[in-house]
């Protein structure tokens, strides 16, 4: 618990109305999408960059831990106040779109801006911000940058890091730094914006983000390929892309996910589907969209697709995407506890990786429904644990560790978009050797020598 003098100092910095230490706020800011709970000692809503600088100087001097927080929508515990201290919440005041620069096609935003709010604002003027995490309706851009969020459109357009041009951030000593420029090219100095992206709030507090925009495509069509097996679908992914297809999205769902969507959500899907690939294609002329669909259909059928469906209109397209966007809640029919991991492998390794994942599930007697962004090699693997006894959970974590080891051995990574946080911190030794982990700790110490910013996340223990 913070001493009263510290609460008083924080109130002096930002106003009493922006500092809370009551039980209701402690509970409200104690959890994220992991459903794990750690209560902070206080929640502080900074009004601007100067507030953040003053708070950091004070907390650094008194060794008070700070956890930056956006919407708390993360799946790995990155915004959890695992060591108590202060939760620095950005959504109340630092939530403004500061500029949409039409001529240079950039947007300047504060970290508390909701992803979808920016998408809508730029689309109104004919521009496009592609990164679209599943949480786009409520996740903040500061959180997206801190976790390097992906999304459905990553197959064609990339992920958050591909759109971060510049950042403003505050170090623990109160220094306000600028990283990057709004120029297309910038090779002067170290890529500090790149280091801060995906740093999970462990290095500095991001206060302003400059994002690249692109022209909005004029036409979009949805499609679905139905396959007899996961192996056929996974072969179709990398072979269709190698043949010249360039879909906006290519999302995968296996037969367990199809079953769950039919039973829990009442979604009409083919009962005999071994796997589905769902996605969009886009372009500025209708001929370009038609070519993409023809290329996909030909490649899918060469890889044993039973059928290839093109949505006739936006209503049918929305119905296809409804299935994909509800895959995660639907699969809860298979277990009380879902161990959800977002592994990523080179696309050509997808058939081999999925076979290995299902074999590990059989070894431990768990159902493992899989879905995700097959177009960029990023699969959501869900080990479904039927009971929450310590023994069952231990077996679940053993299965996850085997999956991680297999993925790394294939040249893949522990996380394609969710980040490391606390959930994957115990497995960092699988992906990195001790020399590499020591380098991470040195970077952390250079930015945050007193280890007050989100300590323990990403496996960065002192």
């Amino acid at each position: 618990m913070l001493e009263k003098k510290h609460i008083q100092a924080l109130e002096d910095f930002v106003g009493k109305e922006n500092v809370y230490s009551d039980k209701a706020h402690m509970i409200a800011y104690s959890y994220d999408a992991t459903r794990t709970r750690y209560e902070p000692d206080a929640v502080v809503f900074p009004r601007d960059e100067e507030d953040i600088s003053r708070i950091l100087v004070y907390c650094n001097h008194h060794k008070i831990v700070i956890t930056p927080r956006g919407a708390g929508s993360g799946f790995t515990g990155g915004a959890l106040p695992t060591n108590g201290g202060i939760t620095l919440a950005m959504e109340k005041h630092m939530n403004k779109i500061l500029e949409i620069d039409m001529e240079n096609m950039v947007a300047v935003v504060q970290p508390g801006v909701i992803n979808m709010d920016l998408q809508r604002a730029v689309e109104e003027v004919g521009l496009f911000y592609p990164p679209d995490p599943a949480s786009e309706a409520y996740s903040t851009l500061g959180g997206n940058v801190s976790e390097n969020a992906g999304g459905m459109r990553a197959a064609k357009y990339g992920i958050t890091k591909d759109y971060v041009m510049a950042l403003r951030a505050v170090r623990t000593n109160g220094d306000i730094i600028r990283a990057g420029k709004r120029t297309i090219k910038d090779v002067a100095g170290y890529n500090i914006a790149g280091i801060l992206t995906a740093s999970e709030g462990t290095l500095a507090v991001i206060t302003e983000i400059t994002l690249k925009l692109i022209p909005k495509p004029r036409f979009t069509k949805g499609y679905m390929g139905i396959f007899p097996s996961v192996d056929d679908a996974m072969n179709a992914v990398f072979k269709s892309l190698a043949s010249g297809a360039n879909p906006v999205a290519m999302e995968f769902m296996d037969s367990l996910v199809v079953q769950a969507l039919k039973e829990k959500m009442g979604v009409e899907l083919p009962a005999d589907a071994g796997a589905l690939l769902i996605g969009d294609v886009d372009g500025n002329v209708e001929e370009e969209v038609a070519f993409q669909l023809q290329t996909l259909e030909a490649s899918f059928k060469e890889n044993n697709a039973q059928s290839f469906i093109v949505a006739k209109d936006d209503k049918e397209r929305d119905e296809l995407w409804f299935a994909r966007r509800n895959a995660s809640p639907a699969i809860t029919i298979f277990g009380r506890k879902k161990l959800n991991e977002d592994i990523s492998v080179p696309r050509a390794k997808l058939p081999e990786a999925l076979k290995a994942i299902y074999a590990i599930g059989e070894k431990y007697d768990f159902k493992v429904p899989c879905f995700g962004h097959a177009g960029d090699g990023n699969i959501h693997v869900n080990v479904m644990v039927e009971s929450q006894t310590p023994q069952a959970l231990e077996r679940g974590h053993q299965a996850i560790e085997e999956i991680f080891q297999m993925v790394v051995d294939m040249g893949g990574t522990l996380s394609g978009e969710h980040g490391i946080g606390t959930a994957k911190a115990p497995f960092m030794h699988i992906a990195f050797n001790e020399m590499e982990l020591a380098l991470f700790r040195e970077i952390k110490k250079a930015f945050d020598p007193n280890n007050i910013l989100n300590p323990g996340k990403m496996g960065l223990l002192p």
Side-chain angles (χ1 to χ4, degrees):
M1 181 177 292
L2 283 182
E3 296 179 37
K4 188 174 181 180
K5 67 177 182 179
H6 297 317
I7 298 292
Q8 181 63 58
L10 293 168
E11 291 175 349
D12 291 343
F13 294 147
V14 301
K16 190 173 183 178
E17 70 279 9
N18 290 311
V19 179
Y20 294 88
S21 56
D22 59 288
K23 191 65 174 177
H25 277 82
M26 299 309 97
I27 293 173
Y29 286 83
S30 68
Y31 62 92
D32 65 1
T34 65
R35 300 184 182 180
T36 308
R37 291 178 179 267
Y38 295 90
E39 290 188 16
D41 297 313
V43 179
V44 180
F45 299 94
R47 298 165 299 184
D48 53 34
E49 192 174 69
E50 287 70 29
D51 278 354
I52 293 173
S53 179
R54 286 190 288 267
I55 292 167
L56 285 174
V57 169
Y58 184 86
C59 290
N60 194 42
H61 177 73
H62 292 281
K63 309 296 191 297
I64 298 170
V65 169
I66 294 176
T67 304
R69 180 183 172 100
S73 59
F75 277 102
T76 58
L80 293 178
T82 53
N83 294 277
I86 293 169
T87 287
L88 201 62
M90 302 295 187
E91 81 271 18
K92 184 176 180 181
H93 299 296
M94 300 194 68
N95 57 7
K96 300 172 186 64
I97 298 174
L98 302 175
E99 182 184 2
I100 297 175
D101 180 345
M102 297 283 293
E103 295 178 340
N104 291 301
M105 291 197 297
V106 301
V108 182
V109 302
Q110 293 180 317
V113 172
I114 301 298
N115 178 295
M116 186 174 284
D117 289 347
L118 176 67
Q119 289 188 46
R120 288 172 174 165
V122 300
E123 286 179 22
E124 287 178 4
V125 295
L127 296 176
F128 187 37
Y129 179 67
D132 62 333
S135 58
E136 63 184 353
Y138 47 88
S139 66
T140 65
L141 290 164
N144 292 172
V145 171
S146 294
E147 300 290 343
N148 196 15
M152 312 292 186
R153 295 192 283 246
K156 180 174 182 177
Y157 291 112
I159 58 179
T160 300
K161 71 178 177 63
D162 300 308
Y163 295 86
V164 176
M165 300 181 72
L167 299 171
R168 286 177 67 94
V170 185
R171 296 182 60 198
T172 54
N173 64 1
D175 287 351
I176 297 170
I177 61 173
R178 295 176 297 115
K181 298 284 187 294
R182 66 170 67 190
T183 57
I184 295 172
K185 294 180 178 179
D186 175 21
V187 293
Y190 293 119
N191 184 9
I192 301 301
I195 291 174
L196 293 178
T197 301
S199 66
E200 301 192 1
T202 62
L203 303 181
V205 178
I206 294 169
T207 57
E208 184 180 288
I209 308 163
T210 301
L211 295 165
K212 178 177 72 173
L213 306 174
I214 63 175
K216 181 173 172 57
R218 294 177 60 201
F219 302 102
T220 302
K221 282 280 191 180
Y223 68 86
M224 178 169 70
I226 303 169
F227 294 85
S229 72
V230 168
D231 197 54
D232 289 322
M234 293 301 97
N235 277 295
V237 171
F238 72 90
K239 290 180 179 179
S240 62
L241 296 172
S243 70
N246 190 21
V248 175
M250 188 180 287
E251 297 292 303
F252 156 68
M253 296 188 291
D254 70 8
S255 59
L256 286 172
V257 177
V258 172
Q259 175 189 340
L261 285 164
K262 289 171 69 67
E263 290 183 13
K264 185 168 183 176
M265 301 293 184
V267 179
E268 292 186 14
L269 291 170
D272 60 343
L276 303 177
L277 293 178
I278 291 174
D280 286 338
V281 297
D282 68 6
N284 289 316
V285 294
E286 292 181 324
E287 291 80 5
E288 182 182 356
V289 172
F291 169 77
Q292 290 294 326
L293 290 169
Q294 290 164 8
T295 304
L296 283 171
E297 181 174 13
S299 184
F300 280 19
K301 289 187 174 177
E302 285 175 8
N303 288 282
N304 301 322
Q306 296 163 312
S307 61
F308 184 83
I309 298 167
V310 177
K312 295 194 295 287
D313 51 33
D314 285 345
K315 180 176 180 295
E316 283 196 4
R317 177 170 166 256
D318 289 343
E319 289 172 355
L320 294 178
W321 278 110
F322 177 85
R324 169 59 187 89
R325 292 188 184 279
N326 283 277
S328 184
I331 61 174
T332 54
I333 67 170
F334 295 122
R336 296 180 62 190
K337 176 70 174 177
K338 176 173 64 175
L339 302 179
N340 169 23
E341 304 299 343
D342 65 318
I343 59 93
S344 190
V345 297
R347 287 183 297 219
K349 292 285 189 180
L350 282 169
E352 182 182 352
L354 267 294
K355 284 179 184 177
I357 287 166
Y358 294 132
I360 292 169
E362 289 181 12
K363 173 182 175 181
Y364 287 94
D365 196 26
F366 291 125
K367 284 187 169 64
V368 188
C370 296
F371 60 89
H373 320 305
D376 55 39
N378 182 199
I379 298 295
H380 295 288
V381 176
N382 303 274
V383 174
M384 306 303 297
V385 182
E386 292 187 9
S387 71
Q388 297 202 47
T389 64
Q391 296 84 356
L393 291 173
E394 176 62 25
R395 286 174 49 249
H397 286 106
Q398 288 173 358
I400 290 294
E401 185 163 4
E402 283 197 31
I403 290 170
F404 282 154
Q405 187 65 63
M406 174 272 298
V407 165
V408 171
D409 290 345
M410 287 186 181
T413 179
L414 304 181
S415 176
E417 59 184 5
H418 290 168
I420 299 300
T422 57
K424 298 186 184 185
F427 306 108
M428 286 286 276
H429 69 280
I430 295 174
F432 302 98
N433 62 37
E434 183 50 41
M435 181 175 62
E436 292 161 340
L437 292 171
L439 177 59
F440 294 165
R441 288 191 288 269
E442 288 175 23
I443 293 171
K444 166 71 168 170
K445 190 170 183 179
F447 276 88
D448 178 19
N450 289 324
N451 196 30
I452 68 161
L453 272 180
N454 223 2
K457 306 300 167 63
M458 301 176 69
L460 298 180
L461 298 173

